[in-house]
Amino acid sequence: MTTIKIHSLCYQPSESRYEEPYHFNRVATESVNLIAGHGIEGDFKAGRNRKRQLNIMSLELLKTMRDEGFKTATGEMGEQIQISGLDVMTLKTGDRLQMGESAIVEITKPRTGCSWFELIQQKPKKSTVKRLGMLAQVIESGNVCVGDEIVILARMTEES
């Protein structure tokens, strides 16, 4: 059985600047504090939208996208959490993951691209359909670190 782990973490300390060179304003870090109902402590967008508290992507898919010419260093795709060992796109709304010792997140919906993403990546968002990871909300607070294991607590079925 493959171990699922946190590969990288980042957060957005302030609003992104709409000037060249265009990029997501993300800062890589070794640990973050996830706050229930809010998101990442200190993140500029935290607390704004319950269903968009976290952007989670798979390391393996990011490697494929890098080979296609996307910028995929930590945070360059707009993600906050990169995980290895799990295809994030197989998760469904309602699936719950435990990250680290106590944080629990719930998948809310697939992430879609926007015009800002297109400007940064210089690629059409249609090339990323069903490949930009999943959005999630924080259900239980906790500190998570790069290298922490992730446990799938609940998987929703098509009938759920």
Side-chain angles (χ1 to χ4, degrees):
M1 184 169 175
T2 304
T3 302
I4 306 166
K5 290 191 172 192
I6 295 174
H7 176 75
S8 71
L9 296 164
C10 63
Y11 70 100
Q12 182 175 341
S14 60
E15 190 170 11
S16 294
R17 294 189 178 169
Y18 294 94
E19 58 189 37
E20 292 187 40
Y22 299 110
H23 65 282
F24 289 105
N25 181 21
R26 298 286 191 269
V27 174
T29 184
E30 289 296 310
S31 68
V32 296
N33 188 30
L34 298 181
I35 302 171
H38 186 74
I40 295 174
E41 182 177 28
D43 190 271
F44 176 74
K45 291 186 175 181
R48 294 180 183 208
N49 185 331
R50 168 177 80 77
K51 294 190 176 207
R52 297 182 60 93
Q53 293 172 0
L54 301 173
N55 296 335
I56 304 170
M57 290 188 77
S58 297
L59 174 65
E60 294 80 4
L61 180 55
L62 285 163
K63 287 178 179 179
T64 297
M65 294 179 85
R66 179 192 62 218
D67 293 345
E68 295 171 7
F70 286 91
K71 301 171 197 166
T72 62
T74 300
E76 282 190 309
M77 293 289 283
E79 84 290 350
Q80 297 157 304
I81 301 174
Q82 288 183 17
I83 66 173
S84 63
L86 174 69
D87 179 357
V88 172
M89 299 313 299
T90 65
L91 297 170
K92 297 188 180 353
T93 299
D95 286 354
R96 289 190 173 194
L97 309 173
Q98 179 177 328
M99 297 183 168
E101 291 184 21
S102 60
I104 298 174
V105 304
E106 181 177 278
I107 301 302
T108 57
K109 62 184 177 178
R111 183 172 163 232
T112 57
C114 62
S115 57
W116 180 233
F117 177 88
E118 287 182 325
L119 185 63
I120 291 167
Q121 291 290 338
Q122 294 295 298
K123 293 190 174 289
K125 64 183 176 183
K126 68 180 180 181
S127 66
T128 64
V129 173
K130 297 184 180 180
R131 300 189 332 147
L132 279 182
M134 300 298 274
L135 298 174
Q137 62 184 336
V138 182
I139 302 299
E140 296 287 336
S141 300
N143 189 270
V144 297
C145 302
V146 170
D148 280 353
E149 288 191 20
I150 296 172
V151 176
I152 300 173
L153 298 176
R155 298 264 330 211
M156 296 292 122
T157 62
E158 292 296 329
E159 299 85 45
S160 297

